[in-house]
């Protein structure tokens, strides 16, 4: 065994799991658990991808000076009237907005799966 498989095999007592179904239905039970987990994950991701200002899923996420991610138009509007963080209430060290490429990519992948 090479690379990661060896580590997996050692931690599993020398056996590497396969995708073949077993007679005792272990994979069927696993499939049901995965489906339930996906539902919980989807709900968590929906919350994670919501802008703290609008409470709506972001389309153009940006990182503000407080390190939090917001929908671009929402934080731009916020910054017109305040120099404080919408999340912490602390003074923002700057008003530059940086695209959050990671969140935008995750949003795109989440949209494909949903």
């Amino acid at each position: 065994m090479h690379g990661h498989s060896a580590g997996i095999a050692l931690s599993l007592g020398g056996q590497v799991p396969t995708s073949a179904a077993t007679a005792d239905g272990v994979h069927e039970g696993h499939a049901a658990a995965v489906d339930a987990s996906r539902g919980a994950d989807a709900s968590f991701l929906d919350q994670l991808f919501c802008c703290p200002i609008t409470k709506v899923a972001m389309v153009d996420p940006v990182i503000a000076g407080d390190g939090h991610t917001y929908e671009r138009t929402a934080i731009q509007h916020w910054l017109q009237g305040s120099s404080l963080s919408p999340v912490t209430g602390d003074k923002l060290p700057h008003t530059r907005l940086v695209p959050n490429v990671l969140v935008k990519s995750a949003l795109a992948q989440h949209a494909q799966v949903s």
Side-chain angles (χ1 to χ4, degrees):
M1 286 187 250
H2 302 310
H4 297 296
S5 296
I8 293 170
L10 290 175
S11 67
L12 294 173
Q15 298 180 1
V16 176
T18 65
S19 60
T22 60
D24 61 5
V26 170
H27 284 96
E28 288 82 8
H30 177 72
V34 167
D35 287 343
S37 175
R38 282 189 186 132
D41 287 347
S43 176
F44 172 74
L45 289 175
D46 288 342
Q47 291 174 4
L48 184 65
F49 294 148
C50 283
C51 172
I53 297 171
T54 65
K55 309 294 187 214
V56 176
M58 293 178 278
V59 175
D60 188 10
V62 294
I63 304 169
D66 61 358
H68 291 276
T69 298
Y70 303 92
E71 175 60 33
R72 180 183 299 277
T73 57
I75 190 66
Q76 285 173 331
H77 184 261
W78 177 274
L79 293 172
Q80 290 175 356
S82 179
S83 61
L84 303 179
S85 163
V87 172
T88 67
D90 296 335
K91 181 153 178 53
L92 292 167
H94 61 79
T95 58
R96 290 184 307 275
L97 301 175
V98 179
N100 191 327
V101 178
L102 179 63
V103 170
K104 189 162 189 163
S105 174
L107 281 164
Q109 288 182 347
H110 181 61
Q112 289 177 350
V113 172
S114 298

